[in-house]
Amino acid sequence: MKKASDIMVREILSVPGDTPIKEAAERTVEKGVGSLAVIDEGVTVGIVTDKDFVRYLASGKEADYIEDIMSTPLIKVGSDADLLETFRVMTENKINHVFVEEEKSVAGLDLVGIVGIVSLKDVLRHLPEYANRR
Amino acid sequence: MVKVYDVMRTDIASVPHNASAIEAANVMLEKSVNSVVVKKEEEVIGIITDKDFVRMASLGGNPRGVTSHMSVELVTIEHDADLLDALKLMKEKDVRHLLVKEKGDIVGMVSSKDVFSGMADSPSV
C-alpha cells in the first residue's frame, strides 16, 4: 500500500506568522491551494485552511496577522504511514490536511522535520486502487 | 457502476438571497460543509464556497450580502450520471461541487470528496 510520502505534496505554501491576513489570502488564491503553513523561525507552527478564513470572517473579530487565525497544534503522520493510517488520523481529528514528518540526520543530529502535506482528497483519490485489488 | 445518486447529499445547506455572507459562513461552519446554495424563493440562484471567503479575505475582508460574493454559474449533472463523468465535469469546469438534477429539478449536491469516497468504497468503478 502506498505511503503518505508517496502521495504528499512537497511544496508547501509557507508564510511567517506576522504576514498580514490579506496578503496570506492573496497568496492562497494565487497558488490555488487549500492550505498554507505558518512558520516561525523556520519551524512550522500552524496551518491555515479555507475553513479558517471562513471562521475568521464569520467571527467578525479584529485580527491582523495570519498567526491570529491559524489552527494549532500541528497534526502529523510519519512519512512511512500508509494511506489507511493517514486516513484514520484525518477522520479522527476531523481535518482535511495532515503534515508529513520525517527524521533526518543533519550534521550528526537526528532531526524531525516536516517534508510535505497530504490532503484528504489526495488520500481518497488513491484508495480506489486498493479497492480494485481486494 | 456507482452513480451520482448513490453518493449525493440531498440535504443541501442554503441561505436566502437577502442573507449576508456572514450568515452563509455560519451555516457552513454549523453544518460542516464547504458550500452553501443561495435561494430566491425556491430557486437556486447561486453558490458560495469556502474559497469565496479566502477571496474575500484577499480583498481585505468586508463581507457584504451573499449575492455579492456567490458564483452565479451553476454547474449541474444528471442524477444518474457515472461518478467518473462527475469527476471529469468538475475538472473541466474547475469546481469542487456539482448540483444534481433530476427531471429539471435540483435534488442534491455532490462534492469532489463525495465522489472520491464513492470510488473508494466501490471495487468496480
Side-chain angles (χ1 to χ4, degrees), chain A residues 29-71:
Chain A
V29 173
E30 226 173 70
K31 300 267 179 193
V33 292
S35 65
L36 63 100
V38 180
I39 47 172
D40 183 28
E41 293 179 359
V43 178
T44 306
V45 292
I47 184 169
V48 178
T49 67
D50 296 344
K51 262 290 154 56
D52 291 304
F53 286 105
V54 177
R55 216 170 280 129
Y56 157 60
L57 288 170
S59 72
K61 72 173 184 184
E62 288 291 315
D64 296 316
Y65 302 110
I66 200 67
E67 64 192 4
D68 300 330
I69 68 165
M70 71 185 181
S71 295

Side-chain angles (χ1 to χ4, degrees), chain B residues 1-59:
Chain B
M1 172 125 18
V2 185
K3 304 284 185 187
V4 165
Y5 57 68
D6 292 321
V7 302
M8 71 179 188
R9 275 175 278 174
T10 51
D11 53 332
I12 311 176
S14 69
V15 291
H17 72 287
N18 55 2
S20 65
I22 290 178
E23 286 173 70
N26 281 318
V27 170
M28 224 174 257
L29 296 172
E30 270 161 33
K31 305 216 166 190
S32 295
V33 291
N34 297 324
S35 69
V36 173
V37 299
V38 181
K39 283 186 170 176
K40 189 171 185 179
E41 273 130 35
E42 277 310 292
E43 194 195 347
V44 176
I45 59 164
I47 185 168
I48 186 161
T49 74
D50 50 5
K51 293 270 178 223
D52 292 307
F53 288 90
V54 183
R55 210 165 293 123
M56 246 177 265
S58 77
L59 299 169

